[in-house]
Amino acid sequence: MSDSLTIIDNRTGKKYEVPISYGTYNTYGASIPASALRSIKSSDDDFGMMTYDPGYTNTAHCKSAITFVDGEKGILKYRGYSIEDLATRGNFLEVAYLILHGDLPNRSQLDEWEHEITHHTLIHESIKKFIEGFHYDAHPMIMLISTIAGLSSFYPMAGDTADQVRRTRQIHRLIAKLPTISAFAYRYRVGLRYSYPDNDLSYTGNFLKMLFKMTRSYTPDPILEKVLDVLFILHADHEQNCSTSVMRGVGSSLPDPYVSVAAAAAALYGPLHGGANERVVRMLREIGDKKNVPAYIKRVKAGEFRLMGFGHRVYKNYDPRAKILRGLFEQVFEATGRSPLLDVAVDLERIALEDDYFVERKLYPNVDFYSGIIYQAMGFPMDMFPVLFAIPRTVGWLAQWAELLEDPDLRIARPRQIYTGENERTYIPVESRE
Ligand code: ACO
């Protein structure tokens, strides 16, 4: 058996042999180089064959050693470690180090890493003016996206993407400053004085304090601090999703990472991606009561709208992150009190998982189905949900960006199209047009 594919072009009867290459697994990720199809032509002046793949449903646009997802089996791994192992035994900054560096840190590496991140949490005072330029009710994700892009102007050397030391410095800054900007955006919206970073706290503990500290001293609830840490681990990377491919696409033209992260965050904001958890809670509120679930499912099946938090481009099985989140319910609700939306969510899930429409299409709950319920119980307003996704995902975006810049195959992202417009037309002056 040879590792190649034989293609016969029935237009010409010609035979082509195309090499097959593999990633880590031979049964997952076999591919052929798309450029090999270009030699398949029906005549000499033929451009050559392309593949048509809207939404990149079956196109690998890079080789990556960071995250592995087997959607059929419901497996997610960062750098070879299962998400279940990392979520139950690791902490977010340790996992961030793993995603960025390839290996788990030893004690001194972890101490140094935590020190680096903690000591970049402050933002230039002028950055607050970006946030304050917004109307009081601007969506915090819009404030975040714009402010991240604005950061670029504070670090002009960040555009030197070939310099690894400078690159690393921007990575530290972005991971450290995202919680500060996010918390400041929140405080501005609700009209509270900013609460500055506290370097003695954990990454998530500090974030909670910057958000929720009022006049008295504030100690984060250790359960909620840990739950948020797990949520951040689950959201840290997810291979070539919509926002990550935007990060790689923008990064491929070699701008500084601030504008690339801003672009990736904009992609995340959409309701079909990181905006879905907000929509889930709105949907559960709209359903309001368990008794209304069957009628709601009926409308979904009739094609009126989609069931938010269900379905995934890659997972055709239970999203492993959703399973971990479901397991956190007890501790969360013990700390926060039971969410009234929980009964509706559980019933909706039960009915959907039994229904032929969802079974046939392999539509299972995704991470967003549960994250919104947990965030809401923890006291986060709904429009902060995509922000809570963007903070940890910044780690994944930056790891993918750094990997892209080191990739010998790096080329500017520039897909092809199949032109379906007019062939040849002649300009007619406006006076003569009908
Ligand atoms: N509710 C109802 N039907 C659905 C849903 C849903 N949530 N998702 C997919 N379907 C149906 C489609 O209508 C389609 O049915 P058809 O074959 O009869 O036309 C079939 O399932 C396949 O759907 P596609 O749109 O082809 O699936 P795709 O892989 O393109 O979309 C997506 C994936 C965008 C996540 C989709 O499932 C969806 O819109 N889900 C709701 C939004 C959501 O929860 N997004 C969060 C994703 S996870 C994340 O970003 C972290």
Side-chain angles (χ1 to χ4, degrees), residues 145-433:
I145 292 166
S146 316
T147 308
I148 297 170
L151 276 183
S152 166
S153 61
F154 283 76
Y155 305 109
M157 306 313 274
D160 185 1
T161 54
D163 183 320
Q164 213 197 347
V165 176
R166 288 206 175 119
R167 226 154 65 198
T168 305
R169 179 47 50 95
Q170 314 320 321
I171 289 175
H172 293 170
R173 283 183 175 137
L174 273 158
I175 295 172
K177 293 183 200 308
L178 256 279
T180 314
I181 298 168
S182 306
F184 281 20
Y186 167 75
R187 304 277 292 202
Y188 173 68
R189 278 205 75 193
V190 292
L192 283 170
R193 192 153 49 91
Y194 303 121
S195 162
Y196 277 73
D198 181 341
N199 293 354
D200 294 328
L201 294 176
S202 71
Y203 191 78
T204 49
N206 170 51
F207 181 48
L208 287 170
K209 184 172 175 183
M210 288 192 292
L211 287 164
F212 298 131
K213 182 183 179 304
M214 300 305 272
T215 45
R216 303 166 105 185
S217 65
Y218 178 92
T219 310
D221 180 321
I223 295 176
L224 299 185
E225 186 180 352
K226 178 64 196 154
V227 166
L228 191 59
D229 195 83
V230 173
L231 277 152
F232 278 10
I233 292 174
L234 300 183
H235 286 88
D237 193 45
H238 207 242
E239 53 118 300
Q240 306 314 312
N241 54 82
C242 176
S243 56
T244 302
S245 24
V246 167
M247 182 79 196
R248 280 182 176 264
V250 176
S252 74
S253 74
L254 307 182
D256 68 66
Y258 297 99
V259 292
S260 302
V261 168
L268 184 74
Y269 179 51
L272 297 189
H273 191 9
N277 49 15
E278 183 178 343
R279 301 294 172 110
V280 170
V281 173
R282 287 190 200 284
M283 173 187 78
L284 294 174
R285 278 191 176 161
E286 190 192 327
I287 297 172
D289 192 284
K290 273 163 52 168
K291 68 176 189 326
N292 301 327
V293 168
Y296 195 85
I297 298 253
K298 211 169 165 189
R299 291 175 68 193
V300 169
K301 286 162 60 177
E304 269 189 60
F305 38 70
R306 290 191 166 194
L307 192 57
M308 283 293 140
F310 263 71
H312 197 276
R313 171 60 58 78
V314 177
Y315 293 119
K316 301 302 168 200
N317 201 321
Y318 223 106
D319 179 339
R321 301 166 299 174
K323 234 184 232 168
I324 294 169
L325 286 185
R326 214 179 188 293
L328 291 176
F329 275 0
E330 209 173 304
Q331 12 173 347
V332 175
F333 296 125
E334 206 170 292
T336 64
R338 193 175 163 82
S339 163
L341 299 180
L342 191 61
D343 292 335
V344 182
V346 169
D347 222 47
L348 191 63
E349 182 199 11
R350 183 183 59 77
I351 294 177
L353 289 177
E354 287 167 357
D355 192 293
D356 282 350
Y357 176 94
F358 295 89
V359 174
E360 277 162 19
R361 290 170 179 77
K362 299 187 178 174
L363 299 170
Y364 291 86
N366 59 49
V367 67
D368 288 321
F369 191 67
Y370 298 119
S371 61
I373 302 170
I374 294 181
Y375 287 142
Q376 205 208 21
M378 287 175 75
F380 292 108
M382 268 189 288
D383 49 17
M384 280 296 283
F385 295 177
V387 173
L388 293 162
F389 193 157
I391 294 171
R393 183 53 61 86
T394 297
V395 168
W397 291 330
L398 291 167
Q400 303 268 349
W401 171 73
E403 187 180 61
L404 168 90
L405 294 178
E406 292 290 323
D407 189 341
D409 290 342
L410 166 63
R411 298 187 71 184
I412 187 165
R414 204 315 184 175
R416 295 279 178 182
Q417 65 164 13
I418 318 269
Y419 177 69
T420 59
E422 297 288 341
N423 185 3
E424 191 81 39
R425 289 166 134 185
T426 306
Y427 180 82
I428 301 167
V430 68
E431 303 74 37
S432 315
R433 283 178 221 153

